[in-house]
Amino acid sequence: MSNRREFLQTLAAGGAVASGLACGGGGTKQNATDNGGGPPPPPPPSAPTSPILVIVTAEGGMDLLDTLVPINGANAGAYQSHRPSLKVNPADTTDIGSNLGLNKAFAGMAALHQQGRVAWLPGIGMPNPTLSHFLAADLWSQGSAIPGGNGWLGRYADLAFQKGGDPLRGISTDGLPLAVQGADRNFVNISSPDTYRFPATRSEWGSVEDPSPLRLGFSDGFSLSGASASSGLKAALDSGHLYDQAQSLFSSLLGTSRRTPSVPYPGDANYPDATLRNDYFHLSSQLKFIAEMIAKDLPSQVFVTATGGFDTHSNHARDFPLLLNEMGASLNAFYADLASISTSKGNAQDRVVIMGWSEFGRRVRENNGGLDHGTAGLGYVIGKAVKGGLYSNYPDLGNLDDNGNLKFTTDFRSLYATLLDRWMGVSSRTVLGASYPNLGFL
């Protein structure tokens, strides 16, 4: 871990270093179109007029090496040496070319890769790595090398959302993380179909037979704003107006009947994998809910959700495959479900890309059955519009930093820049405060 002095020294050079190292570091640049020898994937469709971004956070620090496994070449020997008891057998991976095998526990991802729908970013990280979950997550959230300030999606909301409108354009199903907090606008937090309704439907508050008078009084409370209102009161009233708009619009569009997905999700009684049936799986539930909101034509452009458990200090061999399995199966079901959804602005699968990230990866060398906090990790982007393949250098396991951690090869802000410029249609320089190379997967 960097000490405070080293950390501050790094920050001083942050902007220039970030751009210059975007495709540098150890390892060899991989082939962006390599799909392991399979037939060439169909070309992606043209960009939609109303794109949607779904962001999935793997909380705790998701391991790169046991997900995209070095199975050949110099890295393979180093990997097996550093992880004598935890190493993944190449037979338990799908060869995706470039000396890498995709862990078969990451259910459904090999098929999406073969379809050319996944852009992999091994070695993604930052020039000032920290082993603190909180600080690393904050830096990723802020899109910054310097802790402090608003979230990168919050700044996007400040820039792109209509002032006083667009109440549902950004939705988080997992609280209000720093990433979605802007100077003037935040996303809204809606964690389930039943928790963002007027109090009459909130069972913990009791039932109200006729909520209309209560709603009218609630709305009238925001009509008190005027020229005489103080700035603080005005801000509170504006916020209240947005909340009222969001709640009313959400209730109106979602309705009271629940959508039946076109495919089974993990947790459903009819899910093909019996190990993923008849239980509650958080990410699966959240993605199913997001699919429903898209199907109900909510005017949302960004959805944020998260799943936890990746902090595998112990029992990594048991827990990590289970985590990968649930996450991959959930992502695969969600992607397949989108294909059946027709919205007013086109087929949902054509409109959605999914970005996956984690605050850092794990340390290279195993430690008593587990893996300690590391540095560079794995990012990925899934979508029909994605040009699949590898878009970053795999870290060189023969050239680790002084603490035995991976040296990052791609600045995480290049991932953001690519999505902002090429998918969201806004200037990444304006949102991020600097220019970062686009990675080419869109």
Side-chain angles (χ1 to χ4, degrees):
M1 178 187 296
S2 300
N3 60 35
R4 178 173 175 79
R5 183 178 182 182
E6 293 168 337
F7 181 72
L8 294 174
Q9 287 173 336
T10 303
L11 297 184
V17 172
S19 179
L21 288 183
C23 289
T28 302
K29 180 68 176 175
Q30 308 287 355
N31 181 359
T33 59
D34 193 339
N35 70 344
S46 57
T49 57
S50 186
I52 296 172
L53 174 62
V54 177
I55 297 178
V56 176
T57 306
E59 296 175 333
M62 177 179 166
D63 184 44
L64 162 65
L65 272 61
D66 286 354
T67 305
L68 285 185
V69 182
I71 56 173
N72 293 303
N75 268 349
Y79 167 71
Q80 293 169 11
S81 173
H82 284 298
R83 297 192 176 179
S85 69
L86 297 182
K87 63 180 180 290
V88 177
N89 189 322
D92 295 325
T93 72
T94 300
D95 189 342
I96 63 168
S98 302
N99 295 321
L100 296 175
L102 175 61
N103 194 327
K104 290 181 179 177
F106 207 177
M109 297 300 287
L112 289 177
H113 175 86
Q114 291 295 337
Q115 294 169 28
R117 297 305 179 225
V118 188
W120 300 105
L121 300 169
I124 196 167
M126 57 186 68
N128 51 320
T130 169
L131 304 186
S132 162
H133 290 293
F134 307 106
L135 182 54
D138 282 354
L139 292 171
W140 269 86
S141 295
Q142 291 157 341
S144 171
I146 302 174
N150 302 310
W152 74 284
L153 292 170
R155 296 196 296 276
Y156 163 75
D158 289 338
L159 177 70
F161 290 11
Q162 180 185 353
K163 187 173 178 58
D166 287 339
L168 294 177
R169 192 161 168 185
I171 294 177
S172 169
T173 68
D174 199 73
L176 284 178
L178 176 59
V180 305
Q181 299 177 27
D184 299 316
R185 290 294 299 271
N186 294 342
F187 285 24
V188 295
N189 172 36
I190 308 177
S191 59
S192 78
D194 301 318
T195 58
Y196 199 70
R197 297 179 182 279
F198 201 65
T201 65
R202 299 184 66 166
S203 58
E204 67 271 26
W205 290 8
S207 173
V208 176
E209 292 184 0
D210 181 6
S212 300
L214 194 55
R215 169 166 284 289
L216 286 174
F218 181 73
S219 300
D220 287 348
F222 302 117
S223 66
L224 300 176
S225 60
S228 61
S230 67
S231 59
L233 177 58
K234 183 66 165 58
L237 293 171
D238 288 345
S239 179
H241 270 302
L242 278 172
Y243 172 73
D244 194 35
Q245 289 178 48
Q247 194 183 61
S248 297
L249 188 60
F250 176 77
S251 296
S252 171
L253 293 177
L254 204 72
T256 55
S257 62
R258 299 278 63 81
R259 170 181 181 263
T260 300
S262 62
V263 299
Y265 281 66
D268 291 347
N270 59 340
Y271 191 77
D273 182 348
T275 65
L276 294 177
R277 289 182 198 154
N278 302 315
D279 205 347
Y280 177 74
F281 296 100
H282 179 74
L283 181 61
S284 173
S285 173
Q286 296 300 291
L287 291 175
K288 188 188 298 184
F289 177 39
I290 291 172
E292 177 167 11
M293 288 190 279
I294 293 172
K296 298 287 181 67
D297 247 344
L298 265 68
S300 307
Q301 193 171 20
V302 185
F303 294 94
V304 175
T305 191
T307 184
F310 286 88
D311 197 17
T312 52
H313 287 281
S314 60
N315 298 317
H316 177 86
R318 180 197 67 188
D319 295 343
F320 190 64
L322 298 176
L323 292 163
L324 275 185
N325 195 21
E326 179 193 345
M327 187 163 71
S330 300
L331 290 167
N332 199 262
F334 177 64
Y335 182 76
D337 194 16
L338 292 175
S340 71
I341 297 174
S342 297
T343 74
S344 62
K345 296 179 180 177
N347 177 264
Q349 201 178 64
D350 291 342
R351 295 180 58 196
V352 172
V353 296
I354 307 160
M355 177 195 116
W357 71 283
S358 190
E359 69 264 35
F360 46 55
R362 312 303 297 183
R363 183 156 296 189
V364 176
R365 182 174 295 281
E366 67 179 63
N367 181 18
N368 196 27
L371 296 171
D372 295 329
H373 299 179
T375 50
L378 174 66
Y380 57 87
V381 181
I382 302 169
K384 199 170 179 180
V386 170
K387 292 177 280 189
L390 297 173
Y391 285 87
S392 60
N393 303 325
Y394 201 93
D396 183 355
L397 271 61
N399 182 25
L400 305 177
D401 70 14
D402 292 341
N403 294 316
N405 284 314
L406 299 171
K407 295 180 179 178
F408 87 108
T409 63
T410 297
D411 192 298
F412 72 106
R413 289 162 292 188
S414 276
L415 170 59
Y416 293 172
T418 307
L419 292 166
L420 290 165
D421 290 328
R422 303 289 299 168
W423 191 247
M424 307 304 290
V426 298
S427 164
S428 64
R429 182 178 179 81
T430 302
V431 174
L432 301 176
S435 295
Y436 299 94
N438 275 213
L439 298 175
F441 56 79
L442 288 171

